[in-house]
Amino acid sequence: MATNLLSVATASAAAKTVYFNSADGRTALTGYVFEPSTPGPWPAIVMLHGRGGPYSSNVNADCTSVGAGTSSPCNANTLSKRHAMWGEYWAARGYLALLPDSFGPRGKAHGFGRFTHGDPDRADVNETNVRPLDAEGALAYLHSRNDVVAGQIYLQGWSNGGSTALNVMIRQDNQQGNQQGNQAGYRGAIAFYPGCGPSALLASKISNTAPIAMFLGADDEEVSPVRCLRFADRSRQAGSPIDVTVYAGATHGFDEPSSRRQSTPGNQAAMDDALVKAIAIVNGWKK
């Protein structure tokens, strides 16, 4: 693969554990921070995990609790390969990256399997009215740090987390001037293979001035890229600057760096291209 990232083990070990509150006012969240080696203040990006949770599948089934004062195999050293890779990716390029765990503090660090969208156990960690509040809590936490540039905070999400990212932008749509209270909202969002159906999104379009980029796999077996293309078309017509890249031959989770997932030729090509484009897109948004 055309990447020059540090090893996954190095990236995961570099993550710092932090704690902050969800904007729901009742949930204490655990997060993992990847910091650049250069002096701050830094721009920042919040990374929203998918339905599998933030941890490696080798350990997440054994996690009964995650949070301050707990001892759990689900921690900064056992993040999934994808999350560790992307955290180090952003840090190596001068961005502080924050990965909040929406599932572990709610007793669901194990995550959920494929095709479980209708599972009632997912209701209290859903992408429409629960996880967006976690993303807003992460934004408030970053605003409290003096080493983060408050006006340069971005959002990235995968699958269920990608839908969450779109819902955060929809919520900003409904807040005058794209403000979260008296603080600036997310400057832009990247959504990897999100669900774009009516049960996954709060609205049928976005009319937000903040830019959005979507990366989709044409052969996605879990969500419909066609629905996302239609959502993007409606959003553009509503004035939202939204860009979509569709990768031929790529499946759901095409940027998962495991040998099994990368054995699909379309996935490797898509991952390599997305790793080039993501930083160019966000750097462009900063201008």
Side-chain angles (χ1 to χ4, degrees), residues 153-230:
I153 303 176
Y154 306 89
L155 195 55
Q156 179 182 25
W158 297 267
S159 193
N160 178 275
S163 300
T164 302
L166 295 177
N167 285 326
V168 171
M169 305 313 282
I170 291 170
R171 284 171 58 84
Q172 287 190 183
D173 216 6
N174 298 326
Q175 297 171 6
Q176 186 175 4
N178 292 338
Q179 299 291 304
Q180 301 281 358
N182 293 322
Q183 295 179 320
Y186 285 103
R187 283 284 304 279
I190 301 176
F192 278 70
Y193 36 85
C196 295
S199 63
L201 297 181
L202 291 168
S204 62
K205 64 181 183 299
I206 294 177
S207 54
N208 198 318
T209 58
I212 295 168
M214 288 198 291
F215 292 89
L216 312 175
D219 292 350
D220 196 308
E221 69 279 24
E222 292 194 44
V223 300
S224 168
V226 173
R227 279 183 164 177
C228 287
L229 287 169
R230 292 171 179 165

Side-chain angles (χ1 to χ4, degrees), residues 32-215:
Y32 304 100
V33 172
F34 297 82
E35 295 181 356
S37 59
T38 55
W42 309 291
I45 189 158
V46 172
M47 307 189 301
L48 303 177
H49 63 76
R51 49 98 183 131
Y55 306 105
S56 168
S57 59
N58 293 328
V59 300
N60 60 10
D62 298 323
C63 298
T64 56
S65 61
V66 175
T70 65
S71 177
S72 171
C74 285
N75 54 52
N77 295 313
T78 56
L79 298 176
S80 77
K81 291 181 179 180
R82 176 175 53 199
H83 297 118
M85 179 192 74
W86 277 103
E88 183 58 30
Y89 169 94
W90 291 113
R93 288 155 179 80
Y95 288 76
L96 179 146
L98 168 62
L99 174 67
D101 176 7
S102 285
F103 290 176
R106 295 181 171 99
K108 299 181 181 182
H110 52 76
F112 301 90
R114 301 171 69 192
F115 311 115
T116 59
H117 192 272
D119 186 342
D121 196 35
R122 292 176 59 167
D124 60 353
V125 290
N126 72 69
E127 67 271 41
T128 54
N129 56 27
V130 177
R131 297 197 64 197
L133 298 178
D134 294 352
E136 290 168 9
L139 181 66
Y141 164 73
L142 290 176
H143 277 136
S144 75
R145 293 180 58 131
N146 60 14
D147 56 1
V148 170
V149 181
Q152 294 181 7
I153 303 176
Y154 306 89
L155 195 55
Q156 179 182 25
W158 297 267
S159 193
N160 178 275
S163 300
T164 302
L166 295 177
N167 285 326
V168 171
M169 305 313 282
I170 291 170
R171 284 171 58 84
Q172 287 190 183
D173 216 6
N174 298 326
Q175 297 171 6
Q176 186 175 4
N178 292 338
Q179 299 291 304
Q180 301 281 358
N182 293 322
Q183 295 179 320
Y186 285 103
R187 283 284 304 279
I190 301 176
F192 278 70
Y193 36 85
C196 295
S199 63
L201 297 181
L202 291 168
S204 62
K205 64 181 183 299
I206 294 177
S207 54
N208 198 318
T209 58
I212 295 168
M214 288 198 291
F215 292 89

